[in-house]
Amino acid sequence: ADLAPGRPAVIDSAGSLTYQELRRAIDRLAFYLLDLGLKKEERFGIQLPNWREFLLMRFALAKIGAIALPLPIDWRQKDVEYVLAATEAVGVLTASTFRGRDYVREHQDMMPACPAMRITLVARGGVTPPNGWTSLEACLDDPIAQRRPRKILAAVRPGANDVDVIVTTSGSSAAPKLVVRTPNCFLATTKQFADHRGFLTGDDVVACLAPIARGMGYYAGVASPVVSGSTMALLEKFSPEDALSWLAKTKATVAIAV
């Protein structure tokens, strides 16, 4: 954001953001989460498709030392409930609806099993969010960062070996397995990919065709472009036809798929 503020950082179905705009939105959300009382090491679920809002929440949580729980958008409700309950998650960000599923209703149904849950945010939920939910767009429209000194974020910034994300593996019968990761894990994995023979540069457009809530989609399609200053191009939902169209539309130089 300092070296190339005007460079496109992310392209998705809603448009694009530059690196400067991305940082501004992340800072706003980080301050807003602090105002909501979110504390260091508290767990926060993110269940979204390949939308920019996933990035905003993931990096806002990292800025304040909270722990992200990426939840694949296609997961069964019982698996999502298991992870949120097992980690004693205090908050969640989800889509209102996507591909015919009502995610707000599903998360409402999970509430009895998740007694620690106190912050519920919805992305792209329309002008009036469902009762008991807060619109993420309203949070991002509030220039709260202008009213808060940046030293607040510096004071809560986590260390390189503090847990900042809990990733999951899934099976057809067993419950999801929870695996903690730190910023150092994140950096080692992403730099190995990004630096391999100078693989990614600031001129690259990385089309992420894989779900960014899963390992390869996140590390190769999100984290590596951020480390390299490349542009992320997030395909909302995969089909062979949509993928080919997205590659052409975004002029992608690298494609990430599983």
Side-chain angles (χ1 to χ4, degrees):
D2 291 327
L3 297 177
R7 180 181 297 162
V10 57
I11 305 168
D12 71 353
S13 59
S16 65
L17 291 176
T18 65
Y19 270 97
Q20 184 179 55
E21 291 168 334
L22 183 67
R23 180 167 67 179
R24 183 184 303 123
I26 291 169
D27 285 352
R28 284 185 177 184
L29 186 52
F31 279 117
Y32 194 88
L33 292 171
L34 288 174
D35 272 15
L36 290 176
L38 190 62
K39 298 178 178 61
K40 184 176 181 178
E41 297 184 354
E42 288 190 316
R43 280 72 60 201
F44 201 104
I46 313 171
Q47 190 178 23
L48 292 173
N50 283 11
W51 291 352
R52 67 180 68 177
E53 290 88 345
F54 181 99
L55 311 182
L56 301 182
M57 181 57 75
R58 170 68 179 91
F59 292 123
L61 292 169
K63 277 207 166 191
I64 65 174
I67 298 174
L69 302 170
L71 302 164
I73 194 69
D74 60 349
W75 259 19
R76 299 170 295 188
Q77 182 177 331
K78 71 173 187 177
D79 291 332
V80 174
E81 180 180 298
Y82 171 81
V83 171
L84 294 176
T87 58
E88 299 181 343
V90 302
V92 69
L93 167 65
T94 192
S96 176
T97 59
F98 185 70
R99 284 189 161 182
R101 284 178 63 176
D102 185 338
Y103 287 91
V104 168
R105 181 191 59 75
E106 289 186 14
H107 280 274
Q108 285 293 129
D109 291 343
M110 299 178 211
M111 291 300 177
C114 304
M117 188 71 62
R118 64 177 191 269
I119 303 171
T120 49
L121 303 179
V122 59
R124 306 191 189 186
V127 177
T128 304
N131 187 40
W133 290 71
T134 299
S135 164
L136 181 67
E137 288 73 23
C139 306
L140 296 173
D141 286 342
D142 181 0
I144 187 172
Q146 298 176 13
R147 308 191 299 271
R148 302 286 191 276
R150 289 193 61 82
K151 64 182 181 181
I152 294 177
L153 293 182
V156 296
R157 182 177 180 178
N161 290 312
D162 290 338
V163 174
D164 73 332
V165 63
I166 298 177
V167 297
T168 56
T169 61
S170 62
S172 59
S173 57
K177 302 171 184 64
L178 308 177
V179 184
V180 299
R181 290 286 184 264
T182 68
N184 268 341
C185 292
F186 155 90
L187 187 60
T189 304
T190 55
K191 284 187 67 65
Q192 182 180 18
F193 177 83
D195 293 348
H196 180 62
R197 298 180 182 176
F199 190 55
L200 292 181
T201 71
D203 295 326
D204 280 304
V205 177
V206 181
C208 190
L209 313 180
I212 58 177
R214 296 182 183 272
M216 179 56 72
Y218 178 74
Y219 283 109
V222 172
S224 294
V226 169
V227 168
S228 306
S230 309
T231 300
M232 297 163 275
L234 308 179
L235 178 65
E236 182 176 272
K237 50 187 178 182
F238 180 84
S239 73
E241 296 77 15
D242 288 342
L244 291 174
S245 176
W246 189 243
L247 293 173
K249 180 179 179 179
T250 60
K251 299 180 180 179
T253 58
V254 178
I256 305 300
V258 177

